[in-house]
Amino acid sequence: MEGKTILADTEGFKAIHTPELLRLSSVFTKHGYELRIVGGAVRDLLMGKLPKDIDLCTNATPEQMIKMFKDEEIRCIETGLQHGTLTAHINKTDFEVTTLRIDVETDGRHAKVKFTNDWQLDAERRDLTFNAMSVDLTGNLYDYFNGEIDLRKGHVRFVGDARLRIKEDYLRILRYFRFYGKIATEPDNHDPDTLAVIKELAEGLRIISVERIWLEVSKILIGNHAQHLLQMLYDLGIASNIGLPTYDASCMTEFHRAWKESQIFSLQPVTLLCCLVNTACEAEILARHWKLSNAERNLGKFITEHRLPKEHETPLKPYQDMLVVSPSAQSKETLRGHITELLHYQGRHELGEAIACWIIPSFPVTGDHLKSIGLKPGPEFGRTLSQLKQMWRESYYVATKEDLLEKAHHMIKR
């Protein structure tokens, strides 16, 4: 159904109502076509947030758009012509515009589509009710499945028949939980029939690429109600079909603890994921299975390997030592990021803040300094340099070059 004009005066709508977007809209209107904002931007506007990205749909076909942009001297790029998507470039701003579509064939992963000029038919192919809304450029909300009501009440509902929507794309199972963590106010307010369908169809996730799986799971882990939702992934048989580690109650407890810390300092999704494994080797296997990036894999292994706090009378010192001995400036900063994440993960937030801004000292003695006091290159040379570095670290990095060379001089005399 069509909604009332409820968005035109909101701050978010005014913010995205740029001259470039108005220019684009005027071109579509001039040529007799509609242009609307769809997807996440509509949700954000209704929730009083400023949209990060703006997705646009139109009842113009790709060919009609190409001709229209050419006539209006607007540069366009055929971003995904087979899916009906073009990118219009106006005053250094890009706008992706997609033709309305309906699915004519689906296999649980991909869909063959054909273009339509019917806005409701396009809405019917979308997954969740609040993702099927659209807003025109005057602020009118078009809501065919009561998505606004669901959004306001924190309800997550599939458009139409949940079974059909999921069979069109099994990834929608994970999208259900991801959006639950985004908009639901209560941790356990699911429709039992929907959960029953999800449990029945969970095995379909096996045909989904691991990259798409991780994209959704990573957002579930950092969303609201994450412990409850993660538990549901196990209870409904989803976990085993997407490659999550075997259920371990102690690991779930660890996840809950770390997730609470992430409300104080935002932890990386892979950090939370690695709560579910016990060793760096298991973290490596999980990272390879889901084809995580090198940066994610390395962070996950580091967090898992150094999970327990290092015992020391000065708690930060072991981590400072790790930074000091790291071989290059680039590796030091990468390691600093890992240690900062680790300390926040452990709940030692003050230490995390301290290590993030700690100025890493440089060892003040070089080989030339040792040569200047008469030490010749050889095995003794290397041993002396190593001993001096150890002394410097034990001094908490305050020993000067002169202090260390004096010690070296006495060592040589012995």
Side-chain angles (χ1 to χ4, degrees):
M1 63 178 183
E2 294 186 9
K4 298 177 181 178
T5 308
I6 59 172
L7 296 175
D9 293 328
T10 63
E11 292 302 316
F13 191 80
K14 291 176 182 177
I16 65 173
H17 222 233
T18 62
E20 291 78 14
L21 184 55
L22 288 174
R23 161 70 174 146
L24 184 68
S25 177
S26 68
V27 167
F28 278 84
T29 302
K30 174 182 174 181
H31 289 262
Y33 304 116
E34 274 192 274
L35 185 71
R36 295 185 195 171
I37 301 168
V38 297
V42 183
R43 291 195 315 271
D44 288 342
L45 289 171
L46 285 170
M47 296 175 76
K49 300 177 182 178
L50 179 64
K52 295 179 181 178
D53 302 298
I54 300 174
D55 295 322
L56 299 165
C57 271
T58 181
N59 55 357
T61 66
E63 292 75 16
Q64 289 168 334
M65 281 195 282
I66 290 171
K67 182 180 184 304
M68 177 176 61
F69 291 144
K70 183 177 180 181
D71 292 343
E72 297 294 332
E73 298 183 343
I74 293 175
R75 186 164 71 87
C76 80
I77 305 166
E78 297 178 3
T79 313
L81 200 57
Q82 71 274 24
H83 299 296
T85 302
L86 282 82
T87 299
H89 186 79
I90 301 176
N91 293 341
K92 299 181 181 180
T93 303
D94 290 330
F95 297 97
E96 276 197 359
V97 187
T98 301
T99 300
L100 298 175
R101 300 172 293 176
I102 57 174
D103 295 337
V104 294
E105 185 179 329
T106 60
D107 63 4
R109 280 184 295 184
H110 311 292
K112 290 184 180 179
V113 301
K114 72 174 183 179
F115 303 130
T116 180
N117 59 5
D118 188 318
W119 288 92
Q120 183 161 345
L121 287 179
D122 179 89
E124 286 175 359
R125 65 180 290 274
R126 298 181 183 270
D127 54 2
L128 304 169
T129 58
F130 44 69
N131 290 338
M133 298 182 289
S134 56
V135 174
D136 66 24
L137 273 297
T138 59
N140 293 301
L141 176 69
Y142 298 83
D143 181 7
Y144 304 100
F145 307 104
N146 295 319
E148 182 186 5
I149 294 174
D150 288 338
L151 193 64
R152 302 289 187 200
K153 292 184 175 181
H155 293 165
V156 184
R157 288 193 308 117
F158 286 100
V159 171
D161 188 324
R163 182 175 280 98
L164 292 177
R165 294 291 82 76
I166 291 172
K167 283 187 173 182
E168 290 165 353
D169 182 356
Y170 288 103
L171 190 68
R172 287 173 172 174
I173 290 174
L174 294 179
R175 283 175 60 81
Y176 169 88
F177 291 107
R178 192 243 290 186
F179 280 106
Y180 192 96
K182 198 177 183 71
I183 69 110
T185 55
E186 300 295 329
D188 191 5
N189 189 26
H190 306 273
D191 172 55
D193 292 337
T194 298
L195 294 185
V197 171
I198 287 174
K199 184 174 184 178
E200 174 192 334
L201 300 178
E203 192 172 349
L205 283 163
R206 290 180 177 272
I207 68 173
I208 303 298
S209 72
V210 290
E211 293 90 346
R212 294 178 74 201
I213 294 287
W214 172 235
L215 185 63
E216 295 298 327
V217 171
S218 65
K219 294 174 181 177
I220 292 172
L221 295 176
I222 61 174
N224 297 324
H225 319 306
Q227 186 192 25
H228 162 77
L229 297 177
L230 184 59
Q231 184 68 51
M232 295 205 71
L233 296 188
Y234 281 98
D235 292 345
L236 297 174
I238 297 167
S240 60
N241 285 297
I242 61 175
L244 279 173
T246 302
Y247 184 82
D248 183 316
S250 64
C251 287
M252 288 295 286
T253 300
E254 176 64 9
F255 175 84
H256 184 49
R257 182 205 63 77
W259 188 86
K260 284 184 176 179
E261 301 299 346
S262 75
Q263 306 310 292
I264 300 172
F265 178 90
S266 296
L267 297 173
Q268 296 294 317
V270 70
T271 300
L272 294 167
L273 176 68
C274 285
C275 292
L276 304 180
V277 298
N278 293 301
T279 66
C281 179
E282 290 173 342
E284 169 79 17
I285 292 170
L286 186 57
R288 290 190 181 280
H289 172 77
W290 275 357
K291 299 182 180 179
L292 304 190
S293 68
N294 288 335
E296 289 173 321
R297 185 175 73 247
N298 292 337
L299 175 59
K301 289 172 61 180
F302 181 85
I303 295 293
T304 309
E305 184 176 358
H306 299 281
R307 176 173 288 161
L308 296 177
K310 299 181 185 303
E311 298 295 332
H312 197 280
E313 60 182 7
T314 304
L316 201 59
K317 183 65 164 52
Y319 304 100
Q320 291 173 324
D321 286 346
M322 291 171 69
L323 278 177
V324 166
V325 301
S326 189
S328 68
Q330 182 177 2
S331 65
K332 286 181 190 295
E333 289 311 311
T334 299
L335 182 58
R336 185 201 295 272
H338 288 184
I339 294 173
T340 300
E341 179 85 356
L342 173 68
L343 292 170
H344 284 293
Y345 161 78
Q346 293 172 344
R348 301 195 288 175
H349 300 290
E350 290 185 3
L351 296 184
E353 292 173 0
I355 203 72
C357 60
W358 185 57
I359 299 174
I360 304 172
S362 298
F363 181 57
V365 175
T366 66
D368 287 339
H369 292 138
L370 294 185
K371 292 176 185 177
S372 71
I373 62 171
L375 190 61
K376 301 193 181 323
E380 187 62 28
F381 191 94
R383 280 194 294 271
T384 301
L385 195 59
S386 294
Q387 287 176 312
L388 293 179
K389 286 180 178 179
Q390 181 63 28
M391 293 175 184
W392 177 65
R393 289 196 294 271
E394 289 174 354
S395 78
Y396 286 71
Y397 325 110
V398 298
T400 64
K401 177 185 70 176
E402 290 73 22
D403 295 332
L404 294 170
L405 288 179
E406 181 178 350
K407 290 181 182 298
H409 188 72
H410 290 305
M411 291 162 63
I412 293 171
K413 283 185 175 180
R414 293 202 307 269

